[in-house]
Amino acid sequence: MPAASGPSSFREVTRVDGQRTVPGNDRRCSAVRYSMTLTLPVTRAVTPEPATIGELGRMLARLEWTLLDFSRRELVAGGIAAITGGNVRFHYVVEGAVEVSGGDSPLRLAAGDFLMLPRAGAHRILATEDTVLASGELEAASAAGVPFVLALPELLVACGFVVREPHMGPLIETLSHEYGGMRAGTCVMASRIATIIASAAVRAWAENGCAPDQWLVRVSDPHIARALAAMQQSPGEQWTVDRLAHVASASRTVFAERFREVVGDSPSRYLTGLRMDQAKQLLGDGRLSVGEVALRLGYGSDVAFSRAFRRHTGTSPATWRRESAMAS
C-alpha cells in the first residue's frame, strides 16, 4: 500500500513487543508492551483500503462519548502525576515530553503526541522536561461504544497527532476552556468536542498503520470475532472449520462463507498466517528451540513446521532467527 506523501520528521519513539511491520512504512506498532527505542517518521502514513475507510467511518459516526473529567496540568522537569484507573483515559502532550509508566517499560511521548488508554489502569506520568499535559476521562455514551472500546488495544498511541490533525490542537485548547464552565450546555459541548478529538485519534492511529488486521471485525461481526479471538488466543490448537463454526455459533457452511467474506481469506490460511506471525516472535525472542516453537504452534514435527515456515516466509526458521538477531 502506498504511503501518503508529505514532509517527514524523525524522532525516537518506543517500539513494542508483538510488533507488526506495515509494508511501505517504517513504523512498527503494537498494542501491548513497550520494550525498546526506535527512530521513526511521525508524518508518513499508510493509505487504508477503501473498505476499511468506509467501515471505520460508519463506526465513528455511531460513536458518542461523555467527558467525565478533564484537566490541564503543568509539570516541571522531574515532576510526577499519579493517575488512577478509570474508563477510557487520554493524555495529550501540549508542550514538553513525558514518560508514561504502568507496565513493563515506560512509554515516551513528545509534544504533539496523543495517548488513549481504552481500559485504563493506574499509571504514572513523569515529565522529562517542563511539560504541559492535557488529560481526560471518557465513557462510551452509545450502544456502539462498548464493543468498539473492547476492540481497541490496551494502548492507542497517535504519534505526531498534532501534525496529522493540526486542527485538534486548538480544539483541545477549546475543551480546556469549555469543561467546567458555568454557561448553559457546557457539559454537552465538552463531550461533543471530546468525541471529535477521540475519533480523530482513532483515525490517525489507524491511518498510521498501527491497527491490527481485521480489528474492526470484532465490532462489525461478533460471531466471526469470537472465532478470530479463539485462534489468536490459542494458535497452537488443532482448529478445524467445524470447531470454529461452533465457537461462532454458526453452521459450517455459513461460517466458512461469512469468514471469507469478512476476513478475505479462508480460516485455515488465516490460522497459518497467525501461526507464522507468532513463530517469528518466538524465534526472534530466542528462548525456545525450533522444535519447541513447532510444538507450541500445533505442528506435529520440526519438519512440518519448517516446511510451513519456509513456504510462508521463503526461508527456514533457523535462518530467519539468525538474520533477525543480526538485524537487532
Side-chain angles (χ1 to χ4, degrees):
M1 291 181 291
S5 61
S8 296
S9 60
F10 290 77
R11 63 176 179 76
E12 287 189 338
V13 298
T14 305
R15 167 183 158 185
V16 297
D17 293 345
Q19 70 182 24
R20 58 187 293 268
T21 302
V22 181
N25 195 353
D26 295 330
R27 294 188 66 91
R28 293 187 178 182
C29 310
S30 175
V32 189
R33 296 186 293 112
Y34 290 76
S35 61
M36 65 181 292
T37 300
L38 295 174
T39 301
L40 303 174
V42 299
T43 59
R44 293 179 59 203
V46 170
T47 302
E49 297 291 343
T52 302
I53 294 175
E55 183 62 34
L56 178 59
R58 287 188 291 272
M59 179 53 61
L60 293 178
R62 299 198 298 269
L63 281 176
E64 293 182 14
W65 300 91
T66 297
L67 184 65
L68 301 178
D69 186 36
F70 182 81
S71 64
R72 178 187 168 99
R73 53 170 62 89
E74 297 183 4
L75 298 172
V76 297
I80 295 175
I83 311 298
T84 59
N87 291 280
V88 179
R89 291 198 180 274
F90 67 85
H91 302 291
Y92 172 73
V93 184
V94 181
E95 299 174 11
V98 301
E99 288 186 352
V100 182
S101 59
D104 293 339
S105 300
L107 165 63
R108 301 173 187 174
L109 300 175
D113 289 349
F114 187 99
L115 169 66
M116 180 184 289
L117 303 162
R119 292 166 293 282
H123 52 286
R124 190 183 73 161
I125 298 176
L126 166 67
T128 55
E129 56 186 78
D130 291 349
T131 297
V132 178
L133 185 71
S135 306
E137 182 179 7
L138 301 169
E139 181 180 57
S142 62
V146 175
F148 188 83
V149 169
L150 292 176
L152 293 174
E154 297 295 328
L155 298 172
L156 188 154
V157 185
C159 293
F161 182 55
V162 73
V163 177
R164 186 162 188 84
E165 307 280 355
H167 50 296
M168 287 299 124
L171 205 56
I172 292 174
E173 290 294 323
T174 301
L175 182 59
S176 65
H177 293 299
E178 192 69 40
Y179 181 78
M182 301 302 293
R183 301 175 62 187
T186 53
C187 291
V188 174
M189 292 290 291
S191 291
R192 289 180 177 173
I193 293 172
T195 294
I196 295 173
I197 295 169
S199 297
V202 172
R203 182 178 66 179
W205 168 75
E207 289 179 344
N208 278 342
C210 295
D213 294 337
Q214 280 84 45
W215 71 283
L216 280 172
V217 173
R218 284 178 276 178
V219 183
S220 61
D221 194 316
H223 300 287
I224 298 299
R226 285 198 294 269
L228 290 174
M231 286 189 284
Q232 290 163 358
Q233 184 175 358
S234 304
E237 285 285 327
Q238 297 304 311
W239 295 110
T240 64
V241 175
D242 288 331
R243 286 189 64 192
L244 291 170
H246 179 73
V247 171
S249 302
S251 70
R252 187 184 193 281
T253 302
V254 170
F255 168 76
E257 292 178 352
R258 181 59 179 159
F259 191 97
R260 184 178 290 276
E261 177 185 342
V262 171
V263 180
D265 213 340
S266 67
S268 62
R269 286 177 59 86
Y270 178 84
L271 178 61
T272 298
L274 194 65
R275 286 175 170 175
M276 293 302 103
D277 288 343
Q278 183 71 21
K280 292 176 184 177
Q281 295 177 30
L282 294 174
L283 290 169
D285 182 76
R287 287 180 290 183
L288 299 179
S289 68
V290 172
E292 289 170 328
V293 172
L295 183 63
R296 178 171 294 194
L297 294 178
Y299 290 92
S301 67
D302 297 8
V303 174
F305 168 64
S306 296
R307 185 184 301 117
F309 191 87
R310 182 181 292 276
R311 186 165 53 244
H312 188 82
T313 65
T315 188
S316 69
T319 300
W320 193 95
R321 165 176 278 171
R322 184 170 58 254
E323 293 177 348
S324 177
M326 291 176 62
S328 297

